[in-house]
Each structure stands twice: as C-alpha cells, then as structure tokens.
Amino acid sequence: MRIASTLLFVLSALILCAVGYVLLVADPRFSIYVLVGDDAGYYFAIARNFCLGYGPSFDRLHETNGFNPLLTALLIGTFKLFVHDLSLVGCYRAGILLTFLANLGSLALLLRLVSGFMDPQVFVGGVRRLAFAATAIFFTGFIALKSNYGMDATLVIPVGLAYLDRVRRHGLVPGGRGAALADGSLLGLLFLARVDSLPFLAAAFALMAVLALRNRALWGPIVGRGLVILAFVAPYLVWSARHFGSWLPVSARLKSQFPAFDIPASMDIVLHSSLNPADQASFALAFAIALSTAVWFFRALRRHHPADLLADPQLAVIALLTAYLLMRFTYMAMFSRLDVQGSYGILAHAYNLIMAIVLAGVFAKRRTSGDTLGRRGIAQLACCLIVFVSAVLMVGKVRVLIRNWGTTEAGGRGDELALSRAIHAKTQPDDVIYGGAFGLVGFFADRAWINGDGVANSYEYQRVLERGDIEHYLAENHVTHLVFLRMPGMPPAGGQIPMEVRSEINGRVNRYSVADTATVLEWRSHRNRGSTVCLACYSAPTR
C-alpha cells in the first residue's frame, strides 16, 4: 500500500511538472485552447489594455464589465509588477503562472479539507496515505488538466476550498472579529472571483441564520461578516452600476435568461455547449448526491433541531455544498441561454470526492462493526475506485491533448498564435477589427478588436443590436476589418458574404454583408469542425 501511495504521489508530481512545462516553457501554441481556455484571452487583453492606459477595455474603444473582477485585478497587478514591457507572450506567461500557482494552492487546500472527512477509525495508517494519494491523483489527473488556466475558475477553487476548510475547523459562525474578517473576506473574494457564486453566499448565510435562530448572540458575528463582504464588493458594484446601468456583468446577463425560463432549451444548452462529457457526468453525479443528501438532512430533522446538525462543522460543510450545488444546478437547468462551461460548477468535483470519502467511512463502519481489517478493505476499495475514475478521466484528456498537439502545425493549421500574428501583419496600428468569439486570437492580434458576441463588451452594444443599428455602429467606430468563420459548404451569394449578429438579450438579429473579394486572409482552424477563419476589409455603406 505504501508503494502504491508513493507511485500515485510521484505520478501526480510528474503531471503537474508536465503541465507547468507546457504552460510556462513550451511554445504557447501547445497550451492555447488545450490547457488555456479561449476566455483567458479576454482577461489577458482587458488587463493588458488597462496597463496600456485604455482602461478596463477589450477593444481599446469602450469600457467593458464583461469580466469577473478578481482575476482581472490580479492580472493587472501581475502585469505591472513583472512584465515591464507588457509584451504579449510575457503577459501570457505571467497570467498562466498566476493561475497555475492558484491550482497548486487548490491541491494543498483540497488535501487539507479532505483530511478532515477521513473517519479516524477507518482511514488509518497506510489507508490514510492511500486516500491522500487518491485525492492528489484525482486533482492532478482531472482538475489540473482542464483548460481553465488564465481563467476565473482557478480562483474559485482555492477561495471556495479555503472557506470550506475554515468552516470544517471552526464551524459556520465562530466568534471574534478576526474570524468575521477572515470569513467575510473569503466570501467577498469568492463573489468577485465569479459573480455567479452568489448562491454559495446565499447558502452560507441561510445556514448561519438557522444557527442564529437558536442562539441570538450569533446575529452580531453574522452581520459582521456581511459588512466585510460589502466592503469587498461595493466598489465593484458601484462602478458597474454607474458605468453600465447594472451591477451584473454583461457576460453573465448574456449567459442567463432569468427570470424567463425554458427548461428543454436550457438543458439542450447544458448538454450541447462547452460542457464536456466528463464534466456533465461529474455534475450529474454531484446533483444526484446532493439530492440524496438533502433528503437525508430533512429526515434527520425529525429527530434533531437543524441547529444541532449544523453545529457539527463537518455536517455544516456538507450542508453548505449541498445547498449551493442544488441551487446552482437548478439555475443552470432552468435559465441557461448561451453557453455552459465546466467552471460554472467547479466545486462539484471536490464535493464528489469529499462525499466519496464520507460515504466510504460510513459504509465501512456500518458493514464491518468491530472488524478493523474489513473497514480498511472497504476504505481501500473506495480509494481504488477514486484512482480508477481519475485514471479514466486522465487518459481521455491526455488523448485529446496528444491529438490536438499532433494536428497543430507550427505556423499552420491549428496554430492560433500564428493566426493572430497573421492578422496583426495584415492590419495597421490604427485599424479596428470587428468579430465574434475570438478571445485568445483577439489578445495575440494586438489590435483594437470589438468583441462581436458581446461577452467582453457592454450593455450599450446590446442596445445597438436591439435597434438593428449594427452598420451605423461599425461606421461610428471606424471598423476597417471583419473576422468571421466561413463554414464548409457556405459559398458567397452574388459576391457578397452574408453576415449576421444576434443579441442574446433581446433576440434581435442584425444583418449586413461583406464582399467576398475583400477577404485578405483565410486560415484553416480547429474551430467548429474545421471551419476557416477569414479576415476581410470592411467599409460601412454610406447613408
């Protein structure tokens, strides 16, 4: 067992070293999209443009609130401190390093959190080491291989785990100003890491309120935590409301159709967007476990006051994660509109792991009362199951990585960095590009680039689309080039390539066109099953 644990720890270290090499040493074309998500380009560009004096802007023309603020603020600080020339590759590496270190911190926090859920009568000696090793390989073989580097999910994990570990060690509402400051700071940072973490905060305060109903002295510490959170989030909320008319980032508004809901359409988005099969399976498992756990809690209320249950720090952590995930997944199932990514419920993976350890301990004690060897055997079996699932997920991801690397030619097909440089070479410094979802390409192109799908734009852009005034908008912003995808079997009609852009908020479709002869660059891409990325000169029609 010691040998198996050692091998798993060594394998975990090798995986992290390999990931670090690909991210921080190898040519960026090997990490773009396979380990670094496209949305990272929005964060990198906004932070770099801020350092260049353009303010929080992706296109260098308009301010945007289409980002979560914590990662953006950290990137701005990192670029200013460590990338003095603000070079593209330098900013890319610095941003990747920041999120890579956050992932390493997440692993340490996960090991610490999981240790608190290992039953001391079951997970002892070699079995305990094996459980730690299984946790490490689960994280490195599954979570650490996700294309989340440069993105906000890498901050949600450590901040969320840090708060959960505090609850595990001290309970939901420990007394003292220091505890209120620490808890409130972590919850405030979690909200700033991803605004859609709001259900986590709601679950935490709801459970705290249950305790306060039994003990009124807890209301003071709870209010204290709320004030600390307010101090963290108020500057962002006020800035966003004053500049954009809403505290909610436009990207979040685009992704959600709340309060209107269409469950079949929403579930179709969940199942057929950026959420890969492994995340879908993990989220489904987490939702099933959360439902079962909620049923157990409600049954336990027949014999116990809810405050008595939540007074147990371990049960408080489980109740918090259960309530949060039920709210998060229910919201996703009802209100998803544009795209669903694995980062939307990233803490679900940690929840599955924790519950596997908890259930293994409970099952072992119930089935093998007084049988130490039997208990250890069940615990070993649970650890082996975690390792097996991790291995399957890891092999699947590695196969995807190898396939993508094998088809990524330097300066050719799949090399999006070379595509960005080609766009840069075909345009001039004062040119303005307009195009849809091109985060990393837009960052590396290093030009004024208006984000066409609106994710890194503003509410004003959505109002332009609502008026059907896209051509006037392009003319007003002196757009000189369009970037678009030409799909296979989509020939130009009469020498004109039809274009359209749709506002997801109001549903209005704006149509315009560009001459096929204006195309100055075509680049075969991995995007959308081998489409061609085109760059075309554009001149808005005169009125």
Side-chain angles (χ1 to χ4, degrees):
M1 193 179 305
R2 180 183 294 273
I3 295 176
S5 300
T6 301
L7 289 175
L8 289 174
F9 280 124
V10 170
L11 179 58
S12 299
L14 290 175
I15 292 172
L16 290 174
C17 288
V19 170
Y21 177 84
V22 173
L23 289 171
L24 304 172
V25 180
D27 190 293
R29 76 176 188 273
F30 292 113
S31 55
I32 290 175
Y33 295 130
V34 292
L35 289 173
V36 181
D38 189 59
D39 284 3
Y42 297 130
Y43 280 105
F44 294 162
I46 292 168
R48 181 171 180 266
N49 286 339
F50 186 94
C51 295
L52 289 171
Y54 296 103
S57 171
F58 176 74
D59 57 25
R60 304 179 182 177
L61 302 171
H62 316 91
E63 284 190 337
T64 177
N65 68 337
F67 58 86
N68 289 296
L70 181 58
L71 178 58
T72 309
L74 291 176
L75 287 173
I76 289 171
T78 300
F79 292 172
K80 285 189 172 184
L81 287 174
F82 301 109
V83 192
H84 300 297
D85 61 352
L86 294 177
S87 65
L88 290 167
V89 174
C91 289
Y92 179 79
R93 300 285 197 200
I96 294 304
L97 177 60
L98 174 68
T99 50
F100 180 69
L101 292 176
N103 251 353
L104 293 181
S106 298
L107 174 57
L109 287 165
L110 182 61
L111 289 169
R112 178 170 175 166
L113 179 62
V114 168
S115 70
F117 288 90
M118 295 181 190
D119 192 302
Q121 297 179 22
V122 177
F123 292 92
V124 294
V127 178
R128 187 175 179 84
R129 286 193 299 271
L130 183 61
F132 279 126
T135 298
I137 200 65
F138 174 79
F139 184 91
T140 57
F142 181 39
I143 297 176
L145 292 181
K146 292 182 174 298
S147 55
N148 280 332
Y149 295 95
M151 295 171 62
D152 43 45
T154 52
L155 299 184
V156 171
I157 303 174
V159 175
L161 291 178
Y163 177 76
L164 292 170
D165 188 57
R166 279 193 55 80
V167 173
R168 179 191 66 81
R169 290 183 292 118
H170 306 295
L172 275 168
V173 197
R177 294 180 180 178
L181 179 61
D183 289 348
S185 298
L186 287 171
L187 289 172
L189 290 173
L190 185 62
F191 177 85
L192 296 177
R194 278 197 69 92
V195 174
D196 60 10
S197 298
L198 190 58
F200 189 102
L201 275 68
F205 275 92
L207 296 180
M208 285 187 251
V210 170
L211 291 175
L213 292 176
R214 167 73 70 86
N215 182 1
R216 294 183 179 181
L218 296 178
W219 283 116
I222 293 174
V223 171
R225 284 161 172 76
L227 292 175
V228 173
I229 293 172
L230 186 62
F232 270 83
V233 306
Y236 168 74
L237 298 179
V238 171
W239 170 79
S240 193
R242 289 183 62 181
H243 283 251
F244 304 97
S246 172
W247 65 269
L248 190 68
V250 66
S251 52
R253 187 69 183 88
L254 286 168
K255 299 296 182 72
S256 169
Q257 58 186 350
F258 180 85
F261 66 92
D262 183 339
I263 295 178
S266 183
M267 285 303 300
D268 184 65
I269 294 295
V270 171
L271 297 174
H272 301 97
S273 56
S274 298
L275 200 62
N276 61 52
D279 281 335
Q280 289 177 358
S282 182
F283 286 2
L285 177 62
F287 188 64
I289 294 175
L291 282 175
S292 301
T293 304
V295 170
W296 178 89
F297 268 106
F298 280 115
R299 287 182 174 178
L301 294 180
R302 299 174 182 174
R303 303 182 305 275
H304 306 281
H305 189 279
D308 294 330
L309 295 175
L310 296 177
D312 182 332
Q314 290 187 2
L315 286 180
V317 171
I318 293 174
L320 173 55
L321 274 174
T322 297
Y324 160 63
L325 291 174
L326 285 177
M327 287 190 286
R328 189 73 189 97
F329 290 146
T330 300
Y331 187 92
M332 287 167 56
M334 295 178 65
F335 303 112
S336 295
R337 176 162 57 189
L338 184 59
D339 187 23
V340 173
Q341 301 173 357
S343 59
Y344 289 12
I346 194 73
L347 289 173
H349 310 313
Y351 178 73
N352 287 336
L353 180 67
I354 290 170
M355 294 305 293
I357 296 295
V358 169
L359 293 175
V362 172
F363 186 78
K365 292 179 71 173
R366 286 185 178 179
R367 295 294 179 181
T368 58
S369 179
D371 183 1
T372 302
L373 290 177
R375 291 178 179 179
R376 291 181 180 180
I378 291 176
Q380 288 174 356
L381 183 62
C383 292
C384 289
L385 181 61
I386 293 171
V387 172
F388 175 75
V389 171
S390 304
V392 171
L393 296 173
M394 179 173 59
V395 169
K397 179 63 176 181
V398 170
R399 289 177 63 183
V400 172
L401 293 175
I402 293 174
R403 183 175 67 248
N404 287 340
W405 289 335
T407 56
T408 301
E409 307 166 6
R413 177 183 172 88
D415 188 350
E416 301 284 82
L417 179 58
L419 166 61
S420 304
R421 290 168 174 166
I423 292 174
H424 181 89
K426 291 286 185 179
T427 54
Q428 300 299 316
D430 57 348
D431 284 338
V432 178
I433 300 171
Y434 175 81
F438 293 92
L440 284 168
V441 173
F443 166 68
F444 280 114
D446 196 21
R447 296 293 190 218
W449 188 316
I450 299 175
N451 171 239
D453 68 359
V455 171
N457 211 304
S458 66
Y459 285 100
E460 176 56 34
Y461 175 67
Q462 297 300 319
R463 288 189 283 270
V464 168
L465 298 182
E466 184 178 14
R467 296 194 299 266
D469 210 13
I470 186 61
E471 289 186 334
H472 180 259
Y473 177 83
L474 299 181
E476 188 178 54
N477 286 279
H478 307 290
V479 170
T480 59
H481 292 79
L482 303 179
V483 174
F484 57 93
L485 294 178
R486 190 202 299 268
M487 304 300 295
M490 190 182 80
Q496 294 289 317
I497 304 176
M499 300 285 170
E500 66 176 38
V501 56
R502 180 178 186 272
S503 170
E504 295 296 335
I505 292 179
N506 53 62
R508 178 72 180 268
V509 176
N510 288 232
R511 292 183 172 86
Y512 58 107
S513 64
V514 63
D516 185 47
T517 55
T519 301
V520 295
L521 176 66
E522 294 187 350
W523 196 278
R524 291 284 291 167
S525 171
H526 289 313
R527 294 168 178 263
N528 296 327
R529 300 180 181 179
S531 59
T532 300
V533 178
C534 298
L535 173 71
C537 295
Y538 178 77
S539 179
T542 57
R543 293 196 171 190

